Amino acid sequence: MSRRTTLLPTLVTAAAVLLVAGCGMVDPNRPVPQPDTNVFGNLLEVSPNPQRAGVFTVNIQVGPPRELTQTEEKQMRPTPVMESRITAEVSVTPDSVVLVQGRAGLLDQLSPGSEVAVIPVPGTTRMIGASRVLLDAAQIMDFSTYHHWQLPALGESTAEAPPDNPARINSTGVEHVPVPLDGGRVLYFTARLRRAWDPKLAPFGARRPGLEEPSKEGSSRELSYRTELGKAGWSAPELVAFPNLSEAHEVQVTWVAEDETACLVTVGEGDGPPWVGRSERAGKRAQWGKVERIEDLGKQESRGAVYLAGSSTKIAFARPPAAKAALDLFLFDPSTGAGPMPLDPRINTPSMEWSPRVGPTNQLLFCRGDRQLIYSQGIVDALRLPGPFRRVLTEANPTRDGKWVFLCQPRYTPIELDQDIFVAPWKSDGSLGEAVAVDDWRP
């Protein structure tokens, strides 16, 4: 069954569940927990919540999106009619993600009467009576964003996308793992092509040297590139080549010495797990030497390694522990003789922790799921971009002078997210300033 034929039954089923649950209650004003389900409908109004600082209440008239019903009607399918009007009261908190046209946005960009979609925070859906549903929003967006992200077959154009400019950094593919040097004027990053939702379409992204078309299984070769900022802008990204990795399907440069004579690399080759190696060269214009595996990290999967600030031996990296499928963060300190050890329980949780990076005073920046966190002075805190709502950012990596943070932000695209690299100032109070797309950034 195609993705476009499944949303209407889901909507109607969800509405039916809400209606049935709302009937026969002893106290019709008592909120009754409901199964979580995405909510669709027309935005009625937005107002601040006087009882919860920083929280907005968004009222929505629940109903199937016009785009979907029109598609069903064109295909001669019956369009279900909701027999009762249901209004959703959605709490949008500072932790909610607001999306407009596929990017982070603001509530006032969603006009009254427009069609919206809400993905609830798990466990927050409640019903009052038979016509009022309450929930907290994990994500709220214009329906066109949801349509493009989750229902690409619903009226999506199958025309070929224009080719990306390989001389630029960001593209419609995936650019991530930023490693800035020289105050941000030199940048190493990793790129891969992004698979299209329709197998008949070509993959998205810039055709850089070394990149190959994704396989039939959807995997795409992932390689690292170097670019340098000059008076005329960024130079065309050049492939970072290693003599023993010409056939590797994953080559991620995750740390580079400031003089560019040594680097750490995550390598994926064959059917084995990814591993971490080190390469050296005589000077910044010389060819990189063979990537030598760091055997002290063990034989199991290892990735995303960085040296601690001021050290050439202590390595932070990610790996799945024996009892957990998701990644945790580990530290290898050869002076202890104990091998890699998991980091503090305040850092490692049942969720996935990944992309460890270090600041100039050994602040640890890392990701937990799709959240960017920072561990400093014994406290784990969120690293947020400015604005009233959460803006998803990951893989934050500061320059060694601590003035700038290079980071990734997604555009919500089907199959996988289109990741792009941005740059934000890192203020003296630890907060981030407004992020700028890396191609447009000038220090």
Side-chain angles (χ1 to χ4, degrees):
M1 182 179 292
S2 70
R3 299 177 70 179
R4 68 182 179 189
T5 62
T6 59
L7 180 57
L8 261 182
T10 300
L11 277 170
V12 175
T13 300
V17 169
L18 295 173
L19 286 171
V20 171
C23 297
M25 293 186 297
V26 175
D27 182 359
N29 295 315
R30 177 184 177 184
V32 177
Q34 300 295 315
D36 292 310
T37 182
N38 296 348
V39 171
F40 306 86
N42 294 93
L43 189 148
L44 299 176
E45 63 176 352
V46 177
S47 58
N49 187 320
Q51 280 78 44
R52 299 171 66 186
V55 176
F56 292 81
T57 299
V58 178
N59 289 309
I60 298 171
Q61 184 65 58
V62 176
R66 286 189 300 272
E67 290 180 76
L68 189 59
T69 57
Q70 290 169 358
T71 300
E72 297 291 313
E73 289 170 358
K74 289 178 182 178
Q75 297 179 2
M76 304 300 291
R77 293 189 178 95
T79 303
V81 177
M82 297 185 66
E83 298 180 357
S84 177
R85 291 172 62 87
I86 299 178
T87 301
E89 294 183 14
V90 181
S91 294
V92 181
T93 74
D95 198 46
S96 302
V97 176
V98 178
L99 300 174
V100 180
Q101 296 181 354
R103 291 282 195 187
L106 299 172
L107 283 177
D108 58 14
Q109 294 175 275
L110 301 174
S111 58
S114 63
E115 294 185 321
V116 295
V118 181
I119 299 175
V121 174
T124 65
T125 305
R126 297 95 68 204
M127 195 78 188
I128 295 181
S131 60
R132 190 170 159 218
V133 61
L134 312 177
L135 65 151
D136 288 359
Q139 297 169 318
I140 180 170
M141 66 201 75
D142 57 299
F143 183 72
S144 63
T145 293
Y146 186 91
H147 156 202
H148 178 65
W149 176 28
Q150 297 290 340
L151 300 168
L154 177 63
E156 190 78 6
S157 171
T158 57
E160 292 291 335
D164 288 282
N165 184 357
R168 292 176 61 83
I169 299 171
N170 289 333
S171 78
T172 58
V174 176
E175 287 79 30
H176 67 139
V177 196
V179 181
L181 304 172
D182 190 22
R185 290 172 175 81
V186 172
L187 177 65
Y188 287 73
F189 69 96
T190 300
R192 69 173 182 271
L193 300 178
R194 180 171 59 85
R195 184 161 54 102
W197 66 271
D198 187 332
K200 296 189 295 291
L201 296 177
F204 298 100
R207 268 55 177 179
R208 298 186 171 97
L211 287 186
E212 300 170 352
E213 299 290 300
S215 69
K216 292 182 179 180
E217 291 75 27
S219 61
S220 174
R221 197 174 189 207
E222 188 165 75
L223 300 174
S224 287
Y225 298 84
R226 179 192 184 275
T227 181
E228 189 167 351
L229 184 60
K231 293 181 180 180
W234 292 98
S235 62
E238 297 179 353
L239 176 66
V240 182
F242 301 96
N244 59 325
L245 300 180
S246 60
E247 301 299 323
H249 59 80
E250 180 181 6
V251 180
Q252 281 190 8
V253 174
T254 57
W255 177 91
V256 183
E258 191 68 17
D259 64 1
E260 297 187 67
T261 59
C263 68
L264 296 177
V265 187
T266 297
V267 179
E269 55 182 352
D271 297 327
W275 51 272
V276 169
R278 175 185 167 102
S279 176
E280 298 180 356
R281 60 180 177 178
K284 65 185 302 182
R285 300 302 176 191
Q287 297 295 314
W288 286 102
K290 180 180 178 181
V291 176
E292 302 286 353
R293 183 167 184 161
I294 302 176
E295 300 292 347
D296 289 328
L297 302 188
K299 298 297 184 183
Q300 60 265 60
E301 175 182 347
S302 302
R303 56 171 57 250
V306 294
Y307 286 113
L308 299 192
S311 174
S312 60
T313 57
K314 298 177 182 178
I315 300 176
F317 66 100
R319 82 146 42 120
K324 177 183 170 186
L327 297 172
D328 272 346
L329 302 187
F330 284 72
L331 176 66
F332 171 65
D333 181 356
S335 66
T336 66
M341 299 295 293
L343 294 185
D344 193 298
R346 287 168 289 186
I347 297 171
N348 289 330
T349 68
S351 299
M352 181 174 75
E353 285 78 31
W354 57 287
S355 187
R357 300 292 183 262
V358 294
T361 58
N362 273 324
Q363 309 97 318
L364 177 67
L365 295 87
F366 67 99
C367 299
R368 180 178 294 150
D370 69 347
R371 296 172 184 267
Q372 181 64 56
L373 304 177
I374 182 170
Y375 179 75
S376 179
Q377 299 180 345
I379 298 174
V380 175
D381 203 357
L383 193 63
R384 291 176 62 112
L385 289 168
F389 310 112
R390 184 168 77 93
R391 298 162 64 185
V392 174
L393 69 108
T394 55
E395 299 186 89
N397 197 2
T399 54
R400 286 188 169 95
D401 59 13
K403 294 182 179 180
W404 303 93
V405 173
F406 285 62
L407 53 92
C408 294
Q409 285 190 279
R411 188 168 63 88
Y412 286 75
T413 50
I415 307 298
E416 66 175 328
L417 301 183
D418 172 5
Q419 297 283 356
D420 288 330
I421 297 173
F422 286 71
V423 189
W426 201 7
K427 301 179 181 179
S428 58
D429 63 0
S431 65
L432 295 178
E434 189 58 54
V436 177
V438 66
D439 288 290
D440 302 323
W441 175 73
R442 301 294 182 270

